[in-house]
């Protein structure tokens, strides 16, 4: 094995380890985001989103670098299936790279699941805010707010919370 290829393998392993670290950091940020959504801390959400953007930018840069190193090692056939190419590669570092890639895929799955969980929380919050705005417009709209008996007159709003006037 020639020296340039040795250095390429080493760079690839380093980049994959960095990517793994970034993926773990992103999982942590998503978990923090979930907690922040539950307590509805607006400033905390702003901070978490800023951190997520930075990590995502770093992840994109690393992805490009990994692709560049893989192309140097295996040429165009690597692009078809990185995992199978790494399994077939004769270099012992290929197995380490395959293990790192497998862990990255596991972390990506975790990120996807946590992201869906957070998205569900955001939709629920959005629905509640919409209900509150609808209630405010109904209560202060052009129609009568109180019936002659003094009870509050507003149409029912679909919600998990039932208000009675």
């Amino acid at each position: 094995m020639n020296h340039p290829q040795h250095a390429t393998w080493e760079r690839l392993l380093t980049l994959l380890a960095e990517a793994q670290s970034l993926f773990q950091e992103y999982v942590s940020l998503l978990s923090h985001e979930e907690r922040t959504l539950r307590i509805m801390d607006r400033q905390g959400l702003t901070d978490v989103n800023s951190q997520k953007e930075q990590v995502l930018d770093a992840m994109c840069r690393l992805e490009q670098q990994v692709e560049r190193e893989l192309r140097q090692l295996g040429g165009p056939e690597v692009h078809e299936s990185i995992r199978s190419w790494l399994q077939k590669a004769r270099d012992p570092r290929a197995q380490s790279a395959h293990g790192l890639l497998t862990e990255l895929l596991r972390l990506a799955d975790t990120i996807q699941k946590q992201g869906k969980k957070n998205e569900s929380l955001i939709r629920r919050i959005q629905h509640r805010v919409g209900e509150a705005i609808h209630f405010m417009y109904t209560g202060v709209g052009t129609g009568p707010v109180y019936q002659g008996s003094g009870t509050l007159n507003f149409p029912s709003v679909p919600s998990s919370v039932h208000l009675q006037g």
Side-chain angles (χ1 to χ4, degrees):
M1 179 173 295
N2 58 21
H3 181 64
Q5 198 171 29
H6 173 79
T8 304
W9 275 110
E10 292 305 316
R11 282 191 307 270
L12 177 64
L13 290 173
T14 300
L15 290 170
L16 289 173
E18 286 178 39
Q20 185 177 0
S21 177
L22 283 172
F23 275 52
Q24 289 170 337
E25 182 179 353
Y26 199 76
V27 167
S28 176
L29 286 170
L30 286 173
S31 295
H32 180 65
E33 180 182 54
E34 178 187 6
R35 290 187 302 275
T36 306
L37 283 167
R38 290 191 184 281
I39 62 172
M40 298 185 61
D41 174 9
R42 194 176 123 200
Q43 183 58 48
L45 285 172
T46 301
D47 295 343
V48 162
N49 283 328
S50 174
Q51 292 171 1
K52 282 174 36 183
E53 286 177 15
Q54 291 172 5
V55 171
L56 284 172
D57 287 345
M59 290 166 95
C60 287
R61 282 191 304 275
L62 270 177
E63 179 182 16
Q64 292 170 354
Q65 292 173 328
V66 166
E67 286 178 7
R68 204 171 23 252
E69 299 301 329
L70 285 168
R71 275 194 304 272
Q72 284 183 352
L73 288 169
E77 75 180 61
V78 173
H79 192 65
E80 294 301 316
S81 175
I82 296 169
R83 291 179 73 186
S84 63
W85 180 82
L86 286 172
Q87 286 177 324
K88 293 175 190 174
R90 294 183 186 162
D91 192 291
R93 289 167 291 207
Q95 296 310 310
S96 296
H98 184 267
L100 288 166
L101 183 61
T102 300
E103 178 61 14
L104 284 173
L105 292 172
R106 186 194 68 74
L107 287 167
D109 184 57
T110 302
I111 287 169
Q112 189 175 36
K113 288 176 183 173
Q114 185 65 48
K116 286 180 181 180
K117 195 174 177 182
N118 291 3
E119 181 183 349
S120 176
L121 283 170
I122 291 168
R123 274 192 306 236
R124 193 167 76 213
I125 291 167
Q126 182 182 18
H127 182 71
R128 285 183 179 169
V129 169
E131 287 178 333
I133 290 170
H134 180 72
F135 175 73
M136 287 177 4
Y137 280 128
T138 303
V140 296
T142 57
V145 176
Y146 289 96
Q147 296 176 348
S149 65
T151 59
L152 184 61
N153 178 24
F154 61 91
S156 64
V157 178
S159 169
S160 56
V161 178
H162 297 287
L163 302 174
Q164 296 179 356

